[in-house]
Each structure stands twice: as C-alpha cells, then as structure tokens.
Amino acid sequence: TGPELHGPKMEPLPKQAHTIMKSFIPYPPDHPFPIQNLPYGVFSRFGEETRRIGVAIGDFVLDLSAITHLFTGPELHGRQDVFLQPTLNAFMALGRPAWTEARMLIQQFLSEDEPTIRDNVELRQACLVPAANVVMHLPASIGDYTDFYSSREHATNLGSMFRDPSKPLLPNWLHIPVGYHGRASSVIPSGVPVRRPCGQTKPKEDEPPVFGASRLVDFELEMAFFVGPGNNLGEPIPVSSAEDHIFGMVLMNDWSARDIQKWEYVPLGPFLGKNFGTSISPWVVTMDALAPFRTENPTQDPEPLPYLKHDDPYSFDINLSVKIQPEGLPAQTVCNTNHKYMYWSMKQQLAHHTISGCNVRPGDLMGSGTISGKSPDSYGSMIELSWRGTKEIDVGHGETRKFLKDNDTVVMEGFCQGEGFRVGFGEVRSQLLPAHLSA
C-alpha cells in the first residue's frame, strides 16, 4: 500500500516558537534561508555531474544524500532512498506526513543544541556544502506545466487595455480559475538565459503579418506550486484535501512575447508567445514553512460553485519584487507586490484542474498567473507598468523601458517577514539574449 496522504491540517506554529528557533549555523536576521525555512532543491558540486537533493540553511546546502541514515522516523524509515535521487519527484510523491516528518528531523539536526551534525567534524564536512560551491538545477522532473490567470487586478488591467474598460473581465473569470496548458520542456532554473523569440506578428492591422524577432518581450511576475501525490485518471482532487497534494512554492518568470501573442492567441490561446521560456527559482519553499504567513482569502463575489468553496485561509503574505538590470548597470526595482492579492487560491486551482478527471503527477508545476496589486507600482508585468507602451518605465541611470531590450536581466525576489526572521525564496534571475534570425 502507498503512503497515507492526509496528515493533520497545516497549522502554523506560534510566532514565538519560530522566533526562538536557532541553528548552529550563523546567518543574519534577514537571510532568506534560516532554520524556519529549509527549502528543498537539487544541486551539484562544482566539478561534479552528480545531482543531489539538498536543503538551504544560511550560506550552506545540507546534502541529504550524506545523512539518509538519520531519517529513521515512521514515515521515512525504509524510504530514505528518496534522498538519493537526482530530483525531488519521489519525495514529493510520499505526501504530507513524510514531508512534515522530514522537516522536523532536519530542524532538529540543524538546531543549535543538537550535536549530531554540529559536533561530528567528518559528518559536517560531508553534508554541509558552501552554497557558493554548488550549481543549482531544476528541483523536479516536470511532466506537465499549467499556467493560471488568477490575479483580478492583472486580468482587469489587460481587459481594460484590449476590451471595454467598463467590462474588463470576461464572463467566466469570476466563476472559474482560468488557465491553459504550458510547455514543460522550456521551464528552466534561475541563471539560464532566455533568447528573444521569433515568430509572426501583425504590426499594422491593414497589412499582412510579418516574420521577425519579437519587439515586445515582457516578464510576468508569478509564483508556482509543485504537485505532490497525484490522482488517478477520472478521480478529481476535492478542494477539501487539495493541500495534501501541494508540496511547495517557487518564484516564476513566465516570459511573454506580447506582439506574437496578440496575433496568435485567438482562438486557442497562447502558443509561441509563451513557450520560449519559463524561469523558476531553484529552492522550493514548503507549505509547512509558509503556514505562519497564511492570511484571509479575498472575498469572492459571486460565490464559487460548491466544488471550489473553502473557508480556511489559503492566501499567503509573500512580498514580491522585480528588478530590471540593463547590461553593465545596477539593477533597478520596477515592481513591488504581494501574493496575497491573488483572487483564486492554489487549492481552488488544483480542484478545478482535476474536476474534469484530469490526473496530475508528482512534480507537475502550476503557475499562478501574473500577480498585480491595485497601485501602478505593484503591476507584475511591463505591459501594465508601461500601460501597453504608452508610458516609460524608469530603470535607473537615465535608462527607460517600455519592454525589455536585448541583454537586460530580470531579477525577481520574494520573502515572508516573520518576527526576527525571514522565509525567503531567493531569486529567479535570467538575461534576455538577442534573437536567432537565421530562420
């Protein structure tokens, strides 16, 4: 029989408990990876090809393949080989009881009063790797990738630009978490550059389309979650148990070519305008780490249909920002927003995705859609910040942008602020390279 999926409901520890928790590994209070966080990722040491599962703690990576013998709890005993794999998929598949047990044990191993690793010089050298000496990879083998469109402010802004501003939302938007199936093969980790895409565009309405490099490349500030245990084909995941299937979250830049997208998206939706690259941060922050930062869900009017209703808070207070760095210049912040502005929750997204009977699998990736707030400085894309190219965006040092230029680097960061600590996501960073025009 497989592992039991349904652990106790996710309850945050008291803020005081998080505040007093300390590790024997030193780090400043604003470090993204304290003992209260412990995100999972896949890394390799410089000069080695072997990919390993690790946990970020301060400026170090805890190599779980070096301490598998320490995972002796009831959920992980006999399953320690999940930490010897080159991806997180097998661990994701075990379910929440195993995730929670692993987190509690890792916190114990790293706590300031626990000697198991702290006082064993040989073990410390084997399992604690300086983060500066590793290369990060995709955390999972991503079988499928879905992107939602769940920020009301973003949907309203785009609807106002391209349709009737008095009725910016399409009739279905307030009833279903709108989404589409993306391209998993072009999901890449932070640090891998993206090339400006080529395709058809129609710059002038009264002339035929033309081929060439996209002139309107944009970022989209998103977050995404990884699916844990999947479901059988034909058996939906109820919203009441959806959190048992959500492993953790990453930052995501869903690159967009607005001019290609505009010409192609009717009638079947995005294609070449979105499939050339989706960048994610390498560290997956677990839902247990995010539990203290749950906040009230937005009011949904009209009330969702019963299969989408849940009353427990499942919005998260995650501070998000975007910087643009022109080539050879410092980065400039162009956006500050928050994940709590999302209209549809991750539980609703997963319940809707599977209500048809669609099966999801461990390691599947679900994007939130662009996250925008109400104020112009909280808009999560350049098409909004420049309001469809009618305004200049200040990127510092006398430089302005309406859309991205070749060799610009986009940096997205996110963190939750606790009392004396942060639970951070690190960053997702990628440079936009010039197009290949050989076609």
Side-chain angles (χ1 to χ4, degrees):
T1 59
E4 175 64 38
L5 298 187
H6 309 294
K9 289 298 181 183
M10 185 174 67
E11 294 296 339
L13 288 172
K15 284 290 182 74
Q16 183 182 10
H18 281 277
T19 302
I20 62 176
M21 196 184 308
K22 294 182 180 180
S23 172
F24 65 82
I25 295 175
Y27 44 76
D30 60 350
H31 200 288
F33 305 133
I35 196 170
Q36 291 87 350
N37 190 351
L38 304 179
Y40 293 92
V42 171
F43 74 98
S44 59
R45 300 172 188 243
F46 281 169
E48 295 184 5
E49 294 185 3
T50 302
R51 298 189 179 191
R52 308 168 187 269
I53 292 175
V55 166
I57 177 68
D59 292 330
F60 289 85
V61 177
L62 177 66
D63 182 353
L64 298 189
S65 71
I67 59 168
T68 56
H69 61 285
L70 299 180
F71 292 97
T72 57
E75 295 293 332
L76 291 168
H77 180 68
R79 299 186 179 126
Q80 295 97 326
D81 62 344
V82 296
F83 297 128
L84 299 176
Q85 306 304 312
T87 68
L88 282 162
N89 295 66
F91 180 53
M92 290 173 170
L94 292 184
R96 286 183 54 236
W99 307 338
T100 300
E101 180 180 287
R103 173 178 169 81
M104 292 175 62
L105 288 170
I106 294 168
Q107 280 187 328
Q108 176 186 327
F109 303 151
L110 294 173
S111 64
E112 62 178 348
D113 298 325
E114 171 59 45
T116 303
I117 296 176
R118 185 195 64 192
D119 296 348
N120 186 326
V121 175
E122 184 177 356
L123 184 59
R124 282 187 64 165
Q125 290 178 341
C127 72
L128 287 172
V129 187
N133 295 343
V134 306
V135 176
M136 298 303 299
H137 305 282
L138 285 177
S141 177
I142 301 169
D144 285 292
Y145 155 53
T146 300
D147 195 27
F148 287 93
Y149 186 51
S150 291
S151 163
R152 183 171 186 167
E153 287 75 16
H154 174 68
T156 297
N157 287 339
L158 265 62
S160 298
M161 291 179 204
F162 294 103
R163 294 186 296 274
D164 181 357
S166 66
K167 296 179 180 179
L169 298 178
L170 291 172
N172 62 356
W173 199 93
L174 293 172
H175 295 273
I176 61 173
V178 174
Y180 72 96
H181 295 292
R183 182 72 187 175
S185 66
S186 53
V187 178
I188 53 177
S190 177
V192 176
V194 168
R195 192 166 291 279
R196 183 181 294 271
C198 295
Q200 288 190 31
T201 62
K202 202 168 188 294
K204 297 182 180 180
E205 294 297 328
D206 57 349
E207 295 182 8
V210 298
F211 173 83
S214 170
R215 296 175 297 108
L216 307 180
V217 175
D218 198 352
F219 65 77
E220 288 190 341
L221 170 58
E222 302 195 23
M223 298 199 73
F225 69 86
F226 277 99
V227 173
N231 60 306
N232 294 324
L233 184 66
E235 299 178 7
I237 296 173
V239 71
S240 60
S241 61
E243 71 180 82
D244 294 320
H245 298 262
I246 299 174
F247 176 73
M249 300 179 69
V250 292
L251 303 170
M252 188 169 92
N253 180 0
D254 192 27
W255 298 86
S256 300
R258 300 297 183 185
D259 44 358
I260 294 174
Q261 183 178 355
K262 180 184 176 184
W263 173 232
E264 74 180 1
Y265 84 101
V266 176
L268 292 181
F271 188 32
L272 303 188
K274 303 288 283 188
N275 72 0
F276 61 98
T278 301
S279 303
I280 64 171
S281 52
W283 292 109
V284 187
V285 178
T286 66
M287 303 316 296
D288 280 342
L290 294 172
F293 306 99
R294 283 186 294 177
T295 187
E296 291 300 318
N297 305 320
T299 301
Q300 294 184 323
D301 184 17
E303 190 173 273
L305 292 174
Y307 80 96
L308 290 172
K309 285 184 64 176
H310 70 90
D311 297 324
D312 58 311
Y314 211 71
S315 296
F316 293 86
D317 185 4
I318 306 171
N319 300 289
L320 301 167
S321 66
V322 183
K323 297 177 182 176
I324 295 176
Q325 182 178 6
E327 187 176 22
L329 294 173
Q332 173 85 0
T333 300
V334 297
C335 165
N336 287 289
T337 188
N338 197 293
H339 182 267
K340 66 184 179 183
Y341 299 141
M342 300 303 294
Y343 186 84
W344 294 104
S345 74
M346 292 178 284
K347 294 173 67 167
Q348 291 173 316
Q349 290 169 343
L350 188 56
H352 182 67
H353 196 303
T354 63
I355 196 64
S356 64
C358 173
N359 56 318
V360 295
R361 295 172 291 189
D364 283 357
L365 187 68
M366 307 279 177
S368 63
T370 304
I371 302 171
S372 295
K374 294 184 180 298
S375 62
D377 62 350
S378 67
Y379 294 165
S381 64
M382 297 185 81
I383 195 170
E384 295 170 272
L385 292 166
S386 72
W387 205 255
R388 203 181 176 185
T390 61
K391 300 176 182 179
E392 298 281 355
I393 303 167
D394 179 15
V395 295
H397 303 274
E399 293 274 328
T400 60
R401 297 286 186 274
K402 293 181 179 179
F403 291 91
L404 293 170
K405 291 187 177 181
D406 288 347
N407 300 311
D408 282 350
T409 296
V410 178
V411 184
M412 298 178 176
E413 298 174 313
F415 67 91
C416 305
Q417 185 61 57
E419 296 179 10
F421 70 95
R422 284 184 174 183
V423 169
F425 291 79
E427 66 176 25
V428 54
R429 171 190 296 264
S430 188
Q431 186 178 35
L432 178 65
L433 300 181
H436 275 313
L437 289 170
S438 57

